[in-house]
Every structure is written in C-alpha cells, then in structure tokens.
C-alpha cells in the first residue's frame, strides 16, 4: 500500500518516509482537504469558461431588411449550436 511504511507511488506520499509514520486519520483529513481544494479550483475555472462561452454564443447583430430602411436584430449563433457548445 502506498501510505504504509515502505510503500511508494508515483506522486504519493508527498512527505516521503516521514509522512508514512503519521496517523492514518490525519493523512485522510489532509488529503481530503487537498482534494476538495482542487475540485474548488476546477469549479471556479469551469464557471469562468462557461460565462465566456455563454457571452460568445449570445451575441446579436442588426441586419437591414432588403428594400426597406428597417433593421432587425438576429442572433449570430444558431440556438441549437449554442446549446450544444454549452
């Protein structure tokens, strides 16, 4: 096992041999907090990405109707494509 004395893994244990002597409950707590911290970071980045995609796909432009002086507002992105992108 990786977290037992003498065990090793690709990344864990972070503290080397000294960490392997720690209480198992402490290691579970520390690695759990680290995991939650990483998930929080991923969720923040994903939220920023989704806001950017939503802003891009909600763009509109004005189009002049042929033969008249009227303009209409149309979406740049097709609604189906925009939803699939999100």
């Amino acid at each position: 096992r990786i977290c037992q004395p003498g065990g090793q893994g690709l990344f864990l244990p972070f503290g080397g041999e000294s960490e392997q002597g720690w209480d198992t409950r402490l290691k579970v707590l520390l690695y759990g907090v680290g995991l939650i911290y990483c998930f929080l970071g991923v969720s923040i980045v994903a939220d920023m990405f989704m806001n950017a995609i939503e802003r891009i796909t909600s763009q509109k432009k004005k189009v002049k109707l042929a033969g008249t002086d009227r303009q209409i507002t149309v979406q740049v992105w097709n609604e189906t494509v925009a939803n699939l992108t999100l």
Side-chain angles (χ1 to χ4, degrees):
R1 295 184 38 122
I2 293 173
C3 294
Q4 298 299 323
Q8 70 182 74
L10 187 60
F11 296 109
L12 300 175
F14 286 126
E17 286 292 323
S18 65
E19 181 184 326
Q20 293 175 348
W22 295 356
D23 183 38
T24 304
R25 291 174 289 194
L26 176 64
K27 290 189 285 187
V28 167
L29 177 69
L30 291 176
Y31 282 111
V33 168
L35 184 65
I36 290 169
Y37 183 76
C38 288
F39 277 120
L40 182 63
V42 169
S43 71
I44 290 169
V45 171
D47 187 46
M48 292 169 55
F49 177 75
M50 290 300 288
N51 286 335
I53 293 292
E54 187 174 317
R55 185 171 181 172
I56 290 169
T57 58
S58 66
Q59 290 179 347
K60 297 180 180 183
K61 67 178 179 179
K62 291 186 177 184
V63 176
K64 184 177 180 183
L65 292 175
T68 66
D69 290 337
R70 295 182 62 198
Q71 290 184 345
I72 59 171
T73 304
V74 295
Q75 290 191 342
V76 175
W77 285 72
N78 180 315
E79 288 186 30
T80 304
V81 173
N83 286 334
L84 290 174
T85 303
L86 293 174

